[in-house]
Amino acid sequence: MQSVSNLIDPFGRRVDYLRVSVTDRCDFRCVYCMSTDMTFLPHGDLLTLEELDRLCAAFIRRGVRRIRVSGGEPLVRRGIMALFRSLKGYLDDGSLDEVTLTTNGSQLGRFADELAACGVRRINVSLDSLDADKFKAITRTGNLDNVLYGIDAAVRAGLKVKINTVALRDVNEFELADMLAWAHGRGFDMTMIETMPLGEIDGDRLSQYLPLTEVRANLARRFTLDDTNYRTGGPARYVTVRETGGRLGFITPMTHNFCESCNRVRVTCTGTVYMCLGQDDKVDLRAPLRASEADELLDGAILEAIAHKPRGHDFVIDRTGIPSVKGRHMNTTGG
């Protein structure tokens, strides 16, 4: 496929990384992500797998080199492997450098081998506790043994695993050092993430919020953390843990704006492109997708979106201590 590298935003940043959500549904109900009683989108609102493939192809033509598939939980989408098989074609002809996946791990036991066969080489697994009871409390519906089995299946399939952990005050706060030791002991990189104010949830966001500056200070009592210039193209800033030799990333949307080198946009499962996770500016791609079998309208909408990409996000803890909340949930926006 002939690519045209013209996805340059108003601040001169080249957009070459697409994060695409394939479903808003998830088999977990994590306390920082969803309310207990979620209402999911009608199936007709979601892009079909064929539309998702066409959308990805349009971005690839414009110079996107990396695609991350997310959700919700992407592996609960019926027939999802058809999309991965299609994306493999772009890997094979050199149009794409990488297809990756963010997952909660619940379905990896079923799909790890097939993902590897489709050219996926690395995955991010969201895992917030290694204590079965605490894991159940965080996810409400998850089973830790099932996730650990899925991680083992991914390793056997040859997938490189990175663990993503949301830091939650008084929940996993005092487990994070042990989780880091476990991850590095398995040969996994790890990234810790501040909870983000996306969507209304049942609990109090402020009580969940744990600044990673505080986490890092606590970890430094047990480990030697050496700053590094290592980057994966995402927002994490990495250190090397001297005692383990492994890498640890910090994603800090609240305490440290990471936008100066942003190279990505997100497309929701309904075909809405958000140019910034922390802004509400958006462009609809579903209407032009469905309006014509040709791609002229779709290409125009993509270029319009990139032209309005903001300098940075505006996640804040306001002066009353209450986080500003975006009206959309993370499972809809894409993790």
Side-chain angles (χ1 to χ4, degrees):
M1 177 183 294
Q2 184 70 31
S3 65
V4 181
S5 298
N6 61 357
L7 296 185
I8 308 295
D9 78 5
F11 306 97
R13 298 169 298 193
R14 184 180 304 279
V15 176
D16 59 7
Y17 181 13
L18 173 67
R19 301 179 69 113
V20 56
S21 171
V22 297
T23 182
D24 65 326
R25 286 161 172 77
C26 186
D27 47 353
F28 292 177
R29 298 289 185 273
C30 293
V31 295
Y32 55 82
C33 182
M34 298 187 188
S35 61
T36 307
D37 185 21
M38 286 294 296
T39 300
F40 295 110
L41 295 167
H43 285 288
D45 288 355
L46 273 61
L47 296 184
T48 66
L49 293 174
E50 293 78 12
E51 288 170 334
L52 285 165
D53 184 22
R54 185 177 156 205
L55 185 148
C56 288
F59 275 95
I60 293 167
R61 283 198 307 273
R62 293 290 178 177
V64 160
R65 302 293 306 178
R66 299 172 59 217
I67 290 179
R68 177 172 293 278
V69 177
S70 68
E73 170 46 48
L75 296 181
V76 303
R77 173 82 189 249
R78 183 177 298 177
I80 188 59
M81 295 312 301
L83 178 62
F84 283 101
R85 286 191 292 270
S86 179
L87 292 175
K88 183 179 186 298
Y90 304 121
L91 292 170
D92 290 344
D93 70 13
S95 301
L96 270 182
D97 294 331
E98 185 178 48
V99 175
T100 56
L101 169 74
T102 294
T103 175
N104 65 25
S106 67
Q107 307 298 315
L108 279 176
R110 297 171 53 202
F111 291 113
D113 287 336
E114 195 170 357
L115 286 166
C118 288
V120 176
R121 296 291 173 257
R122 64 186 184 97
I123 61 174
N124 290 359
V125 179
S126 300
L127 179 64
D128 301 319
S129 180
L130 290 170
D131 178 280
D133 292 336
K134 193 179 297 181
F135 181 86
K136 181 74 170 181
I138 294 171
T139 63
R140 296 191 180 105
T141 58
N143 181 286
L144 178 62
D145 287 340
N146 189 35
V147 172
L148 295 178
Y149 173 79
I151 291 173
D152 288 341
V155 172
R156 289 193 300 270
L159 298 175
K160 183 177 180 181
V161 174
K162 181 163 73 72
I163 301 298
N164 285 352
T165 301
V166 176
L168 300 167
R169 186 175 296 282
D170 296 328
V171 179
N172 62 4
E173 179 177 2
F174 301 107
E175 189 187 358
L176 295 175
D178 289 338
M179 290 189 68
L180 174 61
W182 170 82
H184 285 183
R186 294 292 309 271
F188 306 153
D189 286 351
M190 185 176 189
T191 296
M192 296 183 185
I193 308 168
E194 290 174 339
T195 184
M196 302 182 200
L198 286 170
E200 297 293 345
I201 58 173
D202 296 331
D204 173 16
R205 279 197 189 277
L206 191 59
S207 67
Q208 293 180 348
Y209 173 61
L210 178 62
L212 290 190
T213 49
E214 191 174 325
V215 171
R216 179 167 178 164
N218 289 335
L219 291 174
R221 296 187 177 98
R222 177 169 167 182
F223 301 105
T224 308
L225 308 179
D226 296 321
D227 289 323
T228 175
N229 291 325
Y230 175 79
R231 294 287 185 269
T232 64
R237 287 176 164 80
Y238 284 88
V239 299
T240 299
V241 180
R242 197 179 302 175
E243 289 79 3
T244 66
R247 281 190 289 259
L248 170 64
F250 297 98
I251 295 181
T252 53
M254 306 299 288
T255 57
H256 188 284
N257 185 294
F258 47 61
C259 303
E260 66 275 3
S261 60
C262 182
N263 65 336
R264 69 203 66 90
V265 293
R266 295 169 184 261
V267 175
T268 73
C269 54
T270 61
T272 299
V273 57
Y274 284 93
M275 291 74 82
C276 174
L277 179 62
Q279 300 276 8
D280 283 328
D281 294 337
K282 60 187 182 290
V283 171
D284 175 36
L285 303 183
R286 185 178 61 188
L289 260 173
R290 294 180 175 177
S292 171
E293 293 184 2
D295 288 331
E296 183 177 352
L297 294 176
L298 175 60
D299 288 343
I302 290 172
L303 293 176
E304 177 190 351
I306 301 304
H308 290 89
K309 185 169 170 60
R311 181 181 293 276
H313 67 248
D314 58 3
F315 288 140
V316 295
I317 299 286
D318 71 20
R319 280 178 288 186
T320 66
I322 305 300
S324 64
V325 176
K326 300 301 174 190
R328 50 196 156 85
H329 285 84
M330 195 69 182
N331 67 299
T332 301
T333 308

